[in-house]
Amino acid sequence: MFSHNRPVVSVAVPMYNNSRFIGDTIRSILGQSFTDFELLIYDDHSTDDSLEIAASFFDSRIKIFRSQVNLGPEKNWNRSISDVRGRYVKLVCGDDILFPECLEKQVAVLENPVHAGVSLVSCQRTIIDPEGKPLIKKVNFMSGGRIDPVDVIRKMIRMGTNIIGEPVCGLYPAELIRKISGYSAVVPYTIDLDFWMQLLKHGDLYMIDEPLCAFRISNLSWSSRIGELRHSQFLEFMEQAASDKSHEVTDLDMFIGRINCAVQSMTSLMGFKLFANHE
């Protein structure tokens, strides 16, 4: 099921020095049960053989672009979604994994008229180590179904952590890209949450209550490199979210959130240090 004109989905993969993992990432995308997609790989001037590995895959749906200079995550992520042709977009970092039915099940939500007005479909995720071994089989902070943005944001603040998921978890309508300002690394740790918040200004969240993808913990991931900043940066994100009156965040939400943020930050940092360097 592949159209020679406009694909249903654009899968964008920003890549930088992902030679250890990029092969598995690409194979997981090409192995989707839903096949009507384009795969856009944006290499951010890697210094390893990531580009050569990506170029070794022969599939008409793949297009590879290479930056002549290193742009950094923020600019390369925005570049990755700047020229998509699909109706829907998924960004997959160069070390994460899609499970076989991920696109099929997420597209089905957005294609169903009952779900008109949904601006973001997310799913639960599995946390894996550098070898691909599951550390947590299902990260579950939210129940499945359609959720109002105010409820999402207030719960996220109370939980003090990312309850929507990393970029690999989300699928959203491409038409919304022109209505938002894109990825912003002003607060680097919450670059994905800032993007989700922008999308939720235009509709509801739909959460699929099963893991359809895997987020990898490794010492090469951006999350690992900035992990020690998590606490201060998530607090900054909370303050920004609370300053928007439309989010209806209360003082009690913030009080509970500050406590949980400290706990989640400590747990997250310990997890990264324990598992990211696991060989």
Side-chain angles (χ1 to χ4, degrees):
M1 184 172 60
F2 182 75
S3 167
H4 291 289
N5 297 312
R6 185 184 182 188
V8 173
V9 178
S10 292
V11 181
V13 177
M15 176 177 71
Y16 177 67
N17 285 355
N18 293 125
S19 62
R20 183 176 176 186
F21 309 119
I22 190 61
D24 288 341
T25 297
I26 293 174
R27 279 186 287 271
S28 78
I29 297 168
L30 296 180
Q32 290 295 293
S33 58
F34 184 90
T35 60
D36 193 348
F37 61 86
E38 63 176 353
L39 173 51
L40 310 176
I41 301 172
Y42 285 83
D43 179 63
D44 195 17
H45 202 70
S46 293
T47 57
D48 62 6
D49 56 350
S50 296
L51 190 62
E52 289 75 12
I53 294 172
S56 71
F57 287 85
F58 297 98
D59 191 297
S60 61
R61 295 169 293 183
I62 299 176
K63 293 182 180 178
I64 301 176
F65 307 88
R66 186 170 195 256
S67 175
Q68 297 305 307
V69 296
N70 181 256
L71 301 173
E74 176 183 9
K75 290 183 179 179
N76 197 41
W77 288 21
N78 281 317
R79 182 171 178 245
S80 298
I81 62 171
S82 65
D83 194 25
V84 297
R85 296 188 302 121
R87 290 204 302 273
Y88 309 115
V89 181
K90 175 177 284 292
L91 187 141
V92 180
C93 292
D95 54 358
D96 294 334
I97 298 292
L98 297 187
F99 296 162
E101 295 183 333
C102 183
L103 292 183
E104 179 182 350
K105 291 186 175 183
Q106 291 192 312
V107 167
V109 173
L110 289 172
E111 294 278 80
N112 189 334
V114 172
H115 301 137
V118 168
S119 61
L120 173 62
V121 177
S122 191
C123 61
Q124 310 298 355
R125 69 274 204 199
T126 294
I127 307 298
I128 58 176
D129 71 5
E131 302 303 322
K133 177 183 177 182
L135 300 172
I136 304 174
K137 291 188 177 181
K138 182 182 179 184
V139 178
N140 188 7
F141 288 115
M142 301 189 72
S143 57
R146 186 167 181 159
I147 310 168
D148 182 271
V150 169
D151 294 333
V152 175
I153 293 165
R154 289 189 63 192
K155 182 172 183 179
M156 183 151 49
I157 287 178
R158 282 187 173 231
M159 295 290 292
T161 193
N162 180 353
I163 64 174
I164 299 175
E166 293 76 24
V168 66
C169 298
L171 183 76
Y172 57 90
E175 65 181 7
L176 294 181
I177 293 175
R178 59 184 174 81
K179 299 180 180 180
I180 62 178
S181 58
Y183 290 102
S184 170
V186 172
V187 184
Y189 194 87
T190 58
I191 184 174
D192 47 359
L193 290 185
D194 177 81
F195 191 82
W196 298 151
M197 296 267 285
Q198 293 181 57
L199 290 176
L200 292 177
K201 289 286 188 182
H202 299 276
D204 294 341
L205 170 70
Y206 190 97
M207 177 63 71
I208 297 176
D209 191 23
E210 65 175 298
L212 296 176
C213 59
F215 173 71
R216 191 187 304 269
I217 292 178
S218 80
N219 59 6
L220 301 177
S221 70
W222 194 26
S223 295
S224 179
R225 296 198 299 272
I226 63 176
E228 293 186 3
L229 301 175
R230 184 201 187 284
H231 182 245
S232 62
Q233 294 200 355
F234 202 91
L235 285 177
E236 185 175 350
F237 165 78
M238 289 167 56
E239 294 288 349
Q240 290 178 359
S243 68
D244 187 331
K245 300 302 181 184
S246 69
H247 294 158
E248 301 178 18
V249 176
T250 67
D251 290 341
L252 181 59
D253 293 333
M254 290 296 291
F255 176 77
I256 295 172
R258 290 188 185 99
I259 296 172
N260 283 330
C261 180
V263 174
Q264 296 280 2
S265 297
M266 182 172 60
T267 303
S268 177
L269 183 58
M270 288 174 62
F272 274 122
K273 288 184 175 180
L274 181 60
F275 296 115
N277 293 302
H278 174 70
E279 295 295 339

